[in-house]
Amino acid sequence: MHLPSSSTREIPKTDIIPKHVAIIMDGNGRWAKERFMPRVAGHKRGVETVRAAIKACIERGISYLTLFAFSSENWRRPAEEISFLMQLFITVLEQEVVKLHENGIRFKVIGDLSKFEPKIIEFISNGEKMTAANTRLTLTIAANYGGRWDIMQAVRKMLVQHPNLKDNFEEEDLIQYLSINYAPEPDLFIRTGGEQRISNFLLWHLAYTELYFTDTLWPDFSASTLDLAIQSYQQRERRFGRTSEQLRTSKTINKMRKISPKKNSINITHFT
Ligand code: IPE
Ligand code: IPE
Ligand code: MG
């Protein structure tokens, strides 16, 4: 199995285009309220935005898109809103997963699925199986997801499989049990809707992610909002604990390597 990487153990390779973008899609309710519509109209509209976001990510060469659709705390909402969201989830699973497959997209869901009705669990599992070999984009939907739940379930699973680790274990032992163990840590986190918080999203994985907050409400999010986030990302200096001076030195060394490549050497940066 391919081992997931950890930004606190090894400095990750970075690029001007983020490889993994994780988004908290917030502001659907307010978008609807501004239009004197029921909150759920905002959720419905939000699904269209998801389609646009997927397309924009593919066009920009992003490999992983992770979307927070329903948090472990969203069960605290009014029953009618929850039931609308569940129905919407079923409709989307029924209608969209085939389209994802046709477009070469791998579909994944992370979160505590045991709380969903069997029909939803079956749709998810079929969709994941059908799209498993696709490589154009990995789309992960976080549903009944909580960052704390993820860490807890990972520790539990690890200890069930390796009871001997109870006295001492390393990051490497644990991270393979985190639910998103197939993706690199997000390079760029975006939250729409104006709030500047993580709301129990990918707590472990956001350790060194660049954070971007926008007032744009999720139904109004577009390719140009994504571009603003990417532009902001491109201005960040990702130090991973090092100093600016160290970064400049390693950049100079890399530049020199590019100017005078060894004879017959292959520039692996072109092979991604
Ligand atoms: C995000 O939009 C979608 C979900 C949490 C399901 P909200 O429903 O939180 O919208 P606001 O924040 O109330 O505007
Ligand atoms: C976070 O949004 C969860 C999702 C977008 C799915 P919330 O609207 O639930 O977050 P809080 O309650 O404002 O922190
Ligand atoms: Mg909200």
Side-chain angles (χ1 to χ4, degrees):
M1 194 185 105
H2 165 76
L3 277 179
S5 56
S6 161
S7 57
T8 43
R9 303 291 273 183
E10 218 178 288
I11 297 163
K13 279 204 193 87
T14 56
D15 210 338
I16 49 163
I17 293 295
K19 209 174 163 66
H20 183 177
V21 175
I23 307 183
I24 297 188
M25 310 183 286
D26 197 21
N28 292 350
R30 279 164 284 164
W31 181 91
K33 206 174 163 200
E34 277 175 5
R35 286 159 182 79
F36 306 102
M37 297 198 295
R39 290 178 53 83
V40 294
H43 297 318
K44 214 168 156 207
R45 187 56 180 260
V47 175
E48 285 169 39
T49 313
V50 169
R51 279 189 215 112
I54 293 171
K55 187 165 174 272
C57 283
I58 291 176
E59 284 166 357
R60 282 153 188 76
I62 290 159
S63 305
Y64 297 86
L65 173 63
T66 301
L67 301 174
F68 204 6
F70 193 87
S71 77
S72 43
E73 289 68 58
N74 284 146
W75 298 105
R76 296 169 177 166
R77 292 193 177 197
E80 318 84 75
E81 182 168 342
I82 293 174
S83 106
F84 181 91
L85 284 166
M86 291 304 139
Q87 196 44 55
L88 189 64
F89 196 21
I90 293 174
T91 313
V92 168
L93 286 166
E94 265 174 340
Q95 297 175 359
E96 306 286 328
V97 177
V98 174
K99 290 186 207 155
L100 294 176
H101 186 46
E102 285 164 3
N103 283 289
I105 297 165
R106 174 163 69 143
F107 171 71
K108 299 283 267 178
V109 177
I110 53 168
D112 182 2
L113 300 188
S114 66
K115 299 285 180 301
F116 290 118
E117 51 179 286
K119 197 168 152 190
I120 297 188
I121 300 174
E122 200 185 318
F123 275 136
I124 291 171
S125 142
N126 290 345
E128 288 188 335
K129 273 186 213 137
M130 177 168 66
T131 62
N134 295 340
T135 55
R136 203 163 171 213
L137 173 82
T138 297
L139 171 70
T140 301
I141 303 294
N144 191 21
Y145 180 86
R148 290 188 181 177
W149 163 84
D150 200 0
I151 296 168
M152 299 280 289
Q153 67 82 32
V155 173
R156 275 190 218 112
K157 262 192 204 156
M158 181 191 71
L159 291 181
V160 167
Q161 292 191 20
H162 302 283
N164 59 312
L165 290 176
K166 74 177 186 336
D167 300 322
N168 188 18
F169 62 87
E170 303 290 338
E171 273 193 26
E172 286 79 0
D173 299 311
L174 185 69
I175 56 178
Q176 46 193 304
Y177 293 97
L178 292 165
S179 54
I180 192 157
N181 59 4
Y182 47 85
E185 292 172 20
D187 300 292
L188 173 61
F189 159 99
I190 300 171
R191 181 173 185 143
T192 62
E195 310 296 351
Q196 304 201 354
R197 54 177 170 254
I198 306 289
S199 299
N200 199 14
F201 196 23
L202 300 158
L203 296 182
W204 178 283
H205 308 81
L206 293 175
Y208 271 105
T209 303
E210 296 300 329
L211 307 179
Y212 181 83
F213 298 93
T214 170
D215 288 336
T216 302
L217 303 173
W218 178 249
D220 292 327
F221 181 91
S222 66
S224 51
T225 329
L226 177 64
D227 285 337
L228 286 176
I230 295 175
Q231 272 165 31
S232 167
Y233 170 80
Q234 289 170 341
Q235 259 131 54
R236 315 281 177 95
E237 185 177 58
R238 303 193 71 193
R239 291 193 287 276
F240 298 99
R242 296 163 297 173
T243 66
S244 275
E245 288 71 24
Q246 285 174 294
L247 280 172
R248 264 179 247 137
T249 318
S250 69
K251 257 188 206 153
T252 316
I253 293 170
N254 284 339
K255 252 191 203 155
M256 279 157 61
R257 279 201 190 120
K258 271 185 192 152
I259 293 167
S260 54
K262 280 192 206 120
K263 258 187 193 160
N264 301 325
S265 71
I266 295 169
N267 187 347
I268 51 158
T269 54
H270 293 290
F271 278 78
T272 47

